[in-house]
Amino acid sequence: MDATCDDGDPCTTSRCDEGLCTHERAECDPGPIACNDDAPLTSLQVLDQGAGGVSGLDAPTAVAVTPNGATAYVGSGAGIGRFDSMSSTSLDYRPVALTVAPAIRALALDGTRLDALTDVALLSFTTTPEGPLGAPASTPLSGGLDLVAVSGGRRVLLDASGLRLLGPDGATLATLPLDGGRRLASAGDLVVALSDGALSRVLVSPESLLETGSVALDGGDHVSLTADGAIATVARVCHHDVLLFGVAGEVPVLTESLRPPGVIPECPPLGRHVEFGPIVDYEIRLWRDLHPYAFPAAAMVAGDVVVTAPLHGAALAEWGAPTSLGSRSVSRSTGDRLPSLEWQIGRHDAFGPFTPLVEARGLADLAVAGTRVFVTSRLGESLQILDSATGAQQLLQRGMYGGIDGLSGAYTLRLSPDGKNVYVAGRTDDDIGVFRVLESGLLERRRPAALERDGALATDAPRPGGVVRVAVSPDGRLVVASDLSSASLHVLLRRAEDGELTWRARVSLEVCDGRPPLATDVVFSADGRQVYATDFQFEGESCIQHYDVVGDELVHRRTTRDPAIAGVESLDVSPDGRFVYATAYRGRALVALPRDEATGKLGTPIATPNDALYGAEFVAFTSDRRFAYVGNPVDGRLVTLSHDPATGEATVLSVTESSDDEPLRGAAGVKLSPDDRFVFVAVRQESRIAVYERNADGTLVLFGHATGPELAFVNDLVLSADGSRLYAASSHAGTLSVWAVRPCHR
């Protein structure tokens, strides 16, 4: 193993070959775990959308797309990500099983050959329609800035000295001096080179480079070229303009300058939150009110429109292409359907501090295939696809909207009844994360389960809340997910042998109080015959919807309404099937609802309100059901209740308030060890897992805690059946982490 290439995973063999890191995975035991008698939890594994080089969305810099638009390759700080078509407006992520150190600067795709430019090497892959990228050929190369493909399997490389023509074997065939080179674009054997002071037109012959002419230009951050080699487009971030040049002749000719109306402020510092710590930046937030065409980081002509990628937002902006270039005039903007950078940076507050970027170059890239446009954003850590003919679009974004692997905004998680799978509800994702539990207790990624809304992928609809809960039927056959975005439940079929999920149907939640339903939780009854779903409301009436499970369908039977369940957040079902329990945010209670075991109908609520339970969200019971523990993230407290399992009555026994010595701000997911000795609490705003030891009377004493960047806004927990492994979902970090429970005492 090469130490410089080690990914920290005990179940991979890491090797380094001329700057290429590979990680071969095998099922294994994590080996001896370092012991610290004072540590209740020891970190074993962190699954992160940017870790291990699998995402391609960790500060992406380049995108290359096959001519048919079926596959997009994204180069980033973590390696290469592969994204395959699922429909005309959606992509499915597939991991590429390698990482490249250092980061990828540029990609060039030509037929079945994909080249990746890094700081230390040029890597050449052979692509296949279905299979993964194989091991690349590696040519040592340093100082490269950009790379484009030309005919005959050749490449043109930009470095500090100028342009180099490389043969198919990587050998230098010709050079052309160029001062201050920044970006390249190509079409056939025509190359345009953007430098600090000019835009140059270069012709490529079999073994030479010829500059036919240039035009003076005050800077530029991105250049593109139409497939026919007629139009070059230059984006200048801090000039707030997009320049179009005719390049059919020997000298580029400026034909159009596109910029937003009015006065735009000077460029603020460019950067993003990338580390764990306090918030130190505020200037970037001022961008939210700017014109959507300001700060264009990349631009190109696609069909009959000019498409730009504004730096301050993930959404694309479009101008009609000028009629002087022979295209019909089209004036349409996609608007602000997707989150602005200001909102994205806000979601990264837990990661601070703000780290300025040196320059705007490489902050965005574009590629076109037919009517489909692919855009990467380094600040937004995203890949966006737009159909320029219809305006339909999808956003895949690390740690935020539409992410990958079901870990974007990882909110809650569930362990399958057979203990073989962990399922993650990513609140800003459009998938359910699917993970296989290995014998060691570590996790292996499986293909995420895509959710649909009336035949359209979930990404095609506005997403105010996303998927927040997942429930698995007692027999392990069905999975149901509650979806705030579409006010519905998704039904999925689970394959027993590997736990993979197939979307079956979407069931719209019944309207309870004339307001759009808020589906905050869903559970199966203990016998699997019923499904209960919450409709949380901030005001007015809240409800619990009751469905019968008929085959693989949900059939609505009745609605439970009662003031006692006002603001119902989550549900729990007693193992004997006699009660359904609800945490009532506004009702200030842990509510027991008697259940008719024959029909599943819920009876009159049993509740004793207590102000300590205002904001109650999560609940966990001891195995004998004599005590319950409720996480209250609103007021930052953990509430202990005594409970009579025969009657369902629950009474507040003690309240653990947040303090400097015992911080509980945002106390959320609660779980108990199988022996009931320990209580584990996900503490959102402290980014920690608190561990309490139980006394015989049910009261709690702080035992210890675990913390780290992988626990940023940790929200939910689940324990393995034997209690040796704890799995944690953290929404701001976008991670699923695995912890050994008290390894020194086992």
Side-chain angles (χ1 to χ4, degrees), residues 567-635:
V568 56
E569 277 273 13
S570 65
L571 300 174
D572 183 87
V573 178
S574 62
D576 61 9
R578 295 180 57 241
F579 292 98
V580 171
Y581 293 86
T583 57
Y585 183 116
R586 291 188 292 112
R588 302 175 297 115
L590 175 62
V591 183
L593 297 107
R595 175 178 172 269
D596 186 304
E597 295 181 55
T599 66
K601 182 180 179 180
L602 302 181
T604 303
I606 302 165
T608 304
N610 188 297
D611 288 343
L613 292 171
Y614 177 81
E617 185 171 348
F618 295 83
V619 63
F621 287 86
T622 55
S623 54
D624 61 9
R625 310 291 288 188
R626 292 181 55 243
F627 296 95
Y629 298 89
V630 173
N632 182 338
V634 174
D635 292 325

Coordinates of all heavy atoms in Angstrom, one line a residue, residues 567-635:
G567 N -49.5 18.9 15.1 CA -48.1 19.0 14.7 C -47.4 17.6 14.9 O -46.2 17.5 15.2
V568 N -48.1 16.5 14.5 CA -47.5 15.2 14.6 C -46.3 15.1 13.7 O -46.3 15.3 12.5 CB -48.6 14.1 14.3 CG1 -49.2 14.3 12.9 CG2 -48.0 12.7 14.4
E569 N -45.2 14.7 14.3 CA -43.9 14.6 13.6 C -43.5 13.2 13.2 O -43.1 13.0 12.1 CB -42.8 15.2 14.5 CG -42.7 16.7 14.5 CD -41.8 17.2 13.3 OE1 -41.5 16.4 12.5 OE2 -41.4 18.4 13.3
S570 N -43.6 12.3 14.2 CA -43.1 10.9 13.9 C -44.0 9.9 14.6 O -44.8 10.3 15.5 CB -41.7 10.8 14.4 OG -41.6 10.9 15.8
L571 N -43.8 8.7 14.2 CA -44.7 7.6 14.7 C -43.8 6.4 15.2 O -42.7 6.2 14.7 CB -45.6 7.1 13.6 CG -46.6 8.1 13.0 CD1 -47.3 7.5 11.8 CD2 -47.6 8.6 14.1
D572 N -44.4 5.6 16.1 CA -43.7 4.4 16.6 C -44.8 3.4 16.8 O -45.9 3.8 17.3 CB -42.9 4.7 17.8 CG -42.2 3.4 18.3 OD1 -41.0 3.2 17.8 OD2 -42.7 2.7 19.1
V573 N -44.6 2.1 16.5 CA -45.6 1.1 16.7 C -45.1 0.1 17.7 O -44.0 -0.4 17.7 CB -45.9 0.4 15.4 CG1 -46.9 -0.7 15.5 CG2 -46.3 1.4 14.3
S574 N -46.0 -0.2 18.7 CA -45.6 -1.2 19.7 C -45.5 -2.6 19.1 O -46.2 -2.9 18.1 CB -46.7 -1.3 20.8 OG -47.9 -1.7 20.3
P575 N -44.5 -3.4 19.6 CA -44.3 -4.7 19.0 C -45.5 -5.6 19.0 O -45.6 -6.5 18.1 CB -43.1 -5.3 19.8 CG -42.4 -4.1 20.4 CD -43.5 -3.1 20.6
D576 N -46.4 -5.5 20.0 CA -47.5 -6.3 20.1 C -48.7 -5.8 19.2 O -49.8 -6.4 19.2 CB -48.0 -6.5 21.5 CG -48.4 -5.1 22.2 OD1 -48.5 -4.1 21.5 OD2 -48.6 -5.1 23.4
G577 N -48.5 -4.7 18.6 CA -49.5 -4.1 17.6 C -50.7 -3.4 18.3 O -51.6 -3.0 17.6
R578 N -50.6 -3.2 19.6 CA -51.8 -2.7 20.3 C -51.8 -1.2 20.3 O -52.9 -0.6 20.4 CB -51.8 -3.1 21.8 CG -52.0 -4.6 21.9 CD -52.0 -5.1 23.4 NE -53.0 -4.4 24.2 CZ -52.7 -3.5 25.2 NH1 -51.5 -3.3 25.6 NH2 -53.7 -3.0 25.8
F579 N -50.7 -0.5 20.1 CA -50.7 1.0 20.1 C -49.8 1.5 18.9 O -48.8 0.9 18.5 CB -50.1 1.5 21.4 CG -50.9 1.3 22.6 CD1 -50.7 0.2 23.4 CD2 -52.0 2.1 22.9 CE1 -51.5 0.0 24.5 CE2 -52.8 1.9 24.0 CZ -52.5 0.9 24.8
V580 N -50.2 2.7 18.4 CA -49.4 3.5 17.6 C -49.1 4.8 18.4 O -50.0 5.4 18.9 CB -50.1 3.9 16.2 CG1 -49.3 4.9 15.5 CG2 -50.3 2.6 15.4
Y581 N -47.8 5.2 18.5 CA -47.4 6.3 19.3 C -47.0 7.5 18.3 O -46.4 7.2 17.3 CB -46.2 6.0 20.2 CG -46.6 5.0 21.2 CD1 -46.6 3.6 21.0 CD2 -47.0 5.4 22.5 CE1 -46.9 2.7 22.0 CE2 -47.4 4.5 23.5 CZ -47.3 3.2 23.2 OH -47.7 2.3 24.2
A582 N -47.4 8.7 18.7 CA -47.1 9.9 17.9 C -46.4 10.9 18.8 O -46.8 11.2 19.9 CB -48.3 10.4 17.3
T583 N -45.3 11.5 18.3 CA -44.8 12.7 18.9 C -45.5 13.9 18.4 O -45.5 14.1 17.1 CB -43.3 12.8 18.7 OG1 -43.0 12.9 17.3 CG2 -42.5 11.7 19.3
A584 N -46.1 14.7 19.2 CA -46.9 15.8 18.8 C -46.2 17.1 19.1 O -46.1 17.6 20.3 CB -48.3 15.8 19.5
Y585 N -45.6 17.7 18.1 CA -44.8 19.0 18.2 C -45.6 20.1 18.9 O -45.2 20.6 19.9 CB -44.4 19.4 16.8 CG -43.6 20.6 16.6 CD1 -42.3 20.5 16.1 CD2 -44.0 21.9 17.0 CE1 -41.5 21.6 15.9 CE2 -43.2 23.0 16.8 CZ -41.9 22.8 16.2 OH -41.2 23.9 16.1
R586 N -46.8 20.4 18.4 CA -47.6 21.4 19.0 C -48.5 20.9 20.1 O -49.0 21.6 21.0 CB -48.5 22.1 17.9 CG -47.7 22.9 16.9 CD -48.6 23.7 16.0 NE -49.3 22.9 15.1 CZ -50.6 22.7 15.1 NH1 -51.4 23.3 16.0 NH2 -51.2 21.9 14.2
G587 N -48.8 19.6 20.1 CA -49.6 19.0 21.1 C -48.9 18.8 22.4 O -49.5 18.5 23.4
R588 N -47.6 19.0 22.4 CA -46.7 18.9 23.6 C -46.9 17.6 24.3 O -47.0 17.5 25.6 CB -47.0 20.0 24.6 CG -46.8 21.4 24.0 CD -47.3 22.5 24.9 NE -48.7 22.5 25.2 CZ -49.2 22.2 26.4 NH1 -48.4 22.0 27.4 NH2 -50.5 22.1 26.6
A589 N -46.8 16.4 23.6 CA -47.1 15.2 24.2 C -46.5 14.0 23.4 O -46.3 14.1 22.2 CB -48.6 14.9 24.4
L590 N -46.3 12.9 24.1 CA -46.1 11.6 23.4 C -47.5 10.9 23.5 O -48.0 10.6 24.6 CB -45.0 10.8 24.1 CG -44.9 9.3 23.6 CD1 -44.4 9.3 22.2 CD2 -43.9 8.6 24.5
V591 N -48.1 10.8 22.4 CA -49.5 10.4 22.3 C -49.6 8.9 22.0 O -49.0 8.4 21.0 CB -50.3 11.2 21.2 CG1 -51.7 10.8 21.2 CG2 -50.1 12.7 21.5
A592 N -50.4 8.1 22.7 CA -50.7 6.7 22.4 C -52.1 6.6 21.8 O -53.0 7.2 22.3 CB -50.6 5.9 23.7
L593 N -52.1 5.9 20.6 CA -53.4 5.7 20.0 C -53.7 4.2 19.9 O -53.0 3.4 19.3 CB -53.4 6.3 18.5 CG -53.2 7.8 18.5 CD1 -51.8 8.1 18.0 CD2 -54.2 8.4 17.5
P594 N -54.7 3.7 20.7 CA -55.0 2.3 20.7 C -55.4 1.9 19.3 O -56.0 2.6 18.5 CB -56.3 2.2 21.6 CG -56.2 3.5 22.5 CD -55.6 4.5 21.6
R595 N -54.9 0.7 18.9 CA -55.1 0.1 17.6 C -55.9 -1.1 17.6 O -55.7 -2.1 18.3 CB -53.7 -0.1 16.9 CG -53.8 -0.8 15.6 CD -52.4 -1.0 15.0 NE -52.5 -1.8 13.8 CZ -52.4 -3.1 13.7 NH1 -52.2 -3.8 14.8 NH2 -52.4 -3.8 12.6
D596 N -57.0 -1.1 16.7 CA -57.8 -2.3 16.6 C -57.0 -3.3 15.8 O -56.7 -3.1 14.6 CB -59.1 -2.0 15.9 CG -60.1 -3.2 15.8 OD1 -59.6 -4.2 15.2 OD2 -61.2 -3.0 16.2
E597 N -56.6 -4.5 16.4 CA -55.7 -5.4 15.7 C -56.4 -6.1 14.5 O -55.7 -6.6 13.6 CB -55.3 -6.4 16.7 CG -54.4 -5.9 17.8 CD -53.9 -6.9 18.8 OE1 -53.3 -7.9 18.4 OE2 -54.2 -6.7 20.0
A598 N -57.7 -6.1 14.4 CA -58.4 -6.7 13.3 C -58.4 -5.7 12.1 O -58.2 -6.2 10.9 CB -59.8 -7.1 13.7
T599 N -58.7 -4.5 12.3 CA -58.9 -3.5 11.2 C -57.8 -2.5 11.1 O -57.7 -1.8 10.1 CB -60.2 -2.7 11.4 OG1 -60.1 -1.9 12.6 CG2 -61.4 -3.7 11.6
G600 N -57.0 -2.4 12.2 CA -56.0 -1.3 12.1 C -56.4 0.0 12.5 O -55.7 1.0 12.5
K601 N -57.7 0.2 12.8 CA -58.3 1.5 13.1 C -57.7 2.0 14.4 O -57.5 1.3 15.4 CB -59.8 1.4 13.2 CG -60.5 2.7 13.5 CD -62.0 2.6 13.6 CE -62.7 3.9 13.9 NZ -64.1 3.8 14.0
L602 N -57.4 3.3 14.4 CA -56.8 4.0 15.6 C -58.0 4.6 16.5 O -58.9 5.2 16.0 CB -55.8 5.0 15.2 CG -54.7 4.6 14.4 CD1 -53.7 5.7 14.1 CD2 -53.9 3.4 15.1
G603 N -57.8 4.4 17.8 CA -58.9 4.9 18.7 C -58.6 6.2 19.3 O -57.7 7.0 18.8
T604 N -59.2 6.5 20.4 CA -59.1 7.8 21.1 C -57.7 8.0 21.6 O -57.2 7.2 22.4 CB -60.1 8.0 22.2 OG1 -61.4 7.8 21.7 CG2 -60.0 9.3 22.9
P605 N -57.0 9.1 21.3 CA -55.7 9.4 21.8 C -55.6 9.4 23.3 O -56.5 9.9 24.0 CB -55.3 10.7 21.2 CG -56.2 10.9 20.0 CD -57.5 10.2 20.4
I606 N -54.4 8.9 23.9 CA -54.1 9.0 25.3 C -52.9 9.9 25.4 O -51.8 9.5 24.9 CB -53.9 7.6 25.9 CG1 -55.1 6.7 25.6 CG2 -53.5 7.7 27.3 CD1 -54.8 5.2 25.8
A607 N -53.0 11.0 26.1 CA -51.9 11.9 26.1 C -51.9 12.8 27.4 O -53.0 13.2 27.9 CB -51.9 12.8 24.9
T608 N -50.7 13.1 27.9 CA -50.6 14.0 29.0 C -49.6 15.1 28.6 O -48.4 14.9 28.6 CB -50.1 13.4 30.3 OG1 -50.9 12.3 30.6 CG2 -50.0 14.3 31.4
P609 N -50.2 16.3 28.1 CA -49.3 17.3 27.6 C -48.3 17.8 28.7 O -48.6 17.9 29.9 CB -50.3 18.4 27.2 CG -51.6 17.7 27.0 CD -51.6 16.6 28.0
N610 N -47.1 18.2 28.2 CA -46.1 18.8 29.0 C -45.3 19.7 28.2 O -44.9 19.4 27.1 CB -45.2 17.7 29.6 CG -44.3 18.2 30.7 OD1 -43.4 19.0 30.4 ND2 -44.4 17.7 31.9
D611 N -45.0 20.9 28.7 CA -44.3 22.0 28.0 C -42.9 21.5 27.5 O -42.4 22.0 26.5 CB -44.2 23.2 28.8 CG -45.5 24.0 28.9 OD1 -46.4 23.7 28.1 OD2 -45.6 24.9 29.8
A612 N -42.3 20.6 28.2 CA -41.0 20.0 27.9 C -41.0 19.3 26.5 O -40.0 19.1 25.9 CB -40.5 19.1 28.9
L613 N -42.3 18.9 26.1 CA -42.4 18.2 24.8 C -42.8 19.0 23.7 O -43.1 18.5 22.6 CB -43.4 17.0 25.0 CG -42.9 15.9 26.0 CD1 -44.1 15.0 26.3 CD2 -41.8 15.2 25.4
Y614 N -42.9 20.4 23.9 CA -43.2 21.2 22.7 C -42.0 21.2 21.8 O -40.8 21.5 22.2 CB -43.4 22.7 23.2 CG -43.6 23.6 22.0 CD1 -44.9 23.7 21.4 CD2 -42.6 24.4 21.5 CE1 -45.1 24.5 20.3 CE2 -42.8 25.2 20.4 CZ -44.0 25.3 19.8 OH -44.2 26.1 18.7
G615 N -42.2 20.7 20.5 CA -41.2 20.6 19.6 C -40.7 19.1 19.5 O -39.7 18.8 18.8
A616 N -41.4 18.2 20.2 CA -40.9 16.8 20.2 C -40.9 16.2 18.8 O -41.9 16.5 18.0 CB -41.9 16.0 21.1
E617 N -39.9 15.4 18.4 CA -39.8 14.9 17.1 C -39.5 13.4 17.0 O -40.1 12.7 16.3 CB -38.8 15.7 16.3 CG -38.8 15.3 14.8 CD -37.9 16.2 14.0 OE1 -37.5 17.3 14.4 OE2 -37.6 15.8 12.8
F618 N -38.5 13.0 17.8 CA -38.0 11.6 17.7 C -38.3 10.9 19.1 O -38.2 11.5 20.1 CB -36.5 11.5 17.5 CG -36.1 12.1 16.1 CD1 -36.0 13.4 15.9 CD2 -36.0 11.2 15.0 CE1 -35.6 13.9 14.6 CE2 -35.6 11.7 13.8 CZ -35.4 13.0 13.6
V619 N -38.6 9.6 19.0 CA -38.9 8.8 20.2 C -38.3 7.4 20.1 O -38.2 6.9 19.0 CB -40.4 8.7 20.5 CG1 -41.1 7.9 19.4 CG2 -40.7 8.1 21.8
A620 N -37.8 6.9 21.3 CA -37.3 5.5 21.3 C -37.7 5.0 22.7 O -37.7 5.6 23.7 CB -35.8 5.5 21.2
F621 N -38.1 3.7 22.7 CA -38.6 3.0 23.9 C -37.6 1.9 24.3 O -36.8 1.4 23.5 CB -39.9 2.3 23.6 CG -41.1 3.2 23.4 CD1 -41.4 3.7 22.2 CD2 -41.9 3.4 24.5 CE1 -42.5 4.6 22.1 CE2 -43.1 4.2 24.4 CZ -43.3 4.8 23.2
T622 N -37.6 1.7 25.6 CA -36.8 0.5 26.1 C -37.5 -0.8 25.6 O -38.6 -0.7 25.2 CB -36.7 0.5 27.6 OG1 -38.0 0.6 28.2 CG2 -35.9 1.7 28.1
S623 N -36.7 -1.9 25.7 CA -37.3 -3.1 25.1 C -38.5 -3.6 25.9 O -39.4 -4.3 25.4 CB -36.2 -4.2 25.2 OG -35.6 -4.4 26.5
D624 N -38.6 -3.2 27.2 CA -39.8 -3.6 28.0 C -40.9 -2.6 27.9 O -42.0 -2.7 28.5 CB -39.4 -3.9 29.5 CG -38.8 -2.7 30.2 OD1 -38.9 -1.6 29.6 OD2 -38.4 -2.8 31.3
R625 N -40.7 -1.5 27.2 CA -41.6 -0.4 26.9 C -42.0 0.3 28.2 O -43.0 1.1 28.2 CB -42.9 -1.0 26.2 CG -42.7 -1.8 25.0 CD -42.2 -1.1 23.8 NE -43.2 -0.2 23.2 CZ -42.9 0.4 22.1 NH1 -41.8 0.3 21.4 NH2 -43.8 1.2 21.6
R626 N -41.2 0.2 29.2 CA -41.5 0.9 30.5 C -41.0 2.4 30.5 O -41.4 3.2 31.3 CB -41.0 0.1 31.7 CG -41.6 -1.2 31.9 CD -41.1 -1.9 33.1 NE -41.2 -1.1 34.3 CZ -40.1 -0.6 35.0 NH1 -38.9 -0.9 34.6 NH2 -40.2 0.1 36.1
F627 N -40.1 2.7 29.6 CA -39.5 4.0 29.5 C -39.4 4.4 28.0 O -39.3 3.6 27.1 CB -38.1 4.1 30.1 CG -38.1 3.8 31.6 CD1 -37.8 2.5 32.1 CD2 -38.4 4.8 32.5 CE1 -37.8 2.2 33.4 CE2 -38.4 4.5 33.9 CZ -38.1 3.3 34.3
A628 N -39.6 5.8 27.8 CA -39.4 6.3 26.5 C -38.5 7.5 26.6 O -38.5 8.2 27.6 CB -40.8 6.7 25.9
Y629 N -37.8 7.8 25.5 CA -36.9 9.0 25.4 C -37.2 9.7 24.2 O -37.3 9.2 23.1 CB -35.4 8.5 25.5 CG -35.1 7.7 26.7 CD1 -35.3 6.3 26.8 CD2 -34.7 8.4 27.9 CE1 -35.1 5.7 28.0 CE2 -34.4 7.7 29.1 CZ -34.6 6.4 29.1 OH -34.4 5.7 30.3
V630 N -37.5 11.0 24.4 CA -37.9 11.9 23.3 C -36.9 13.0 23.0 O -36.5 13.7 23.9 CB -39.3 12.5 23.6 CG1 -39.6 13.5 22.5 CG2 -40.3 11.4 23.7
G631 N -36.4 13.1 21.7 CA -35.5 14.1 21.3 C -36.3 15.3 20.9 O -37.3 15.2 20.1
N632 N -36.0 16.5 21.5 CA -36.7 17.8 21.2 C -35.7 18.7 20.6 O -34.9 19.4 21.3 CB -37.2 18.3 22.5 CG -38.0 19.6 22.2 OD1 -37.8 20.3 21.2 ND2 -38.9 20.0 23.2
P633 N -35.6 18.8 19.2 CA -34.6 19.6 18.6 C -34.9 21.1 18.7 O -34.0 22.0 18.6 CB -34.6 19.2 17.1 CG -35.9 18.5 16.9 CD -36.3 18.0 18.2
V634 N -36.2 21.4 18.9 CA -36.6 22.9 18.9 C -36.0 23.6 20.1 O -35.3 24.6 20.0 CB -38.1 23.0 18.9 CG1 -38.5 24.5 19.1 CG2 -38.7 22.5 17.6
D635 N -36.1 23.0 21.3 CA -35.6 23.6 22.5 C -34.3 22.9 23.0 O -33.8 23.3 24.1 CB -36.7 23.5 23.6 CG -37.9 24.4 23.3 OD1 -37.7 25.5 22.7 OD2 -39.0 24.0 23.7

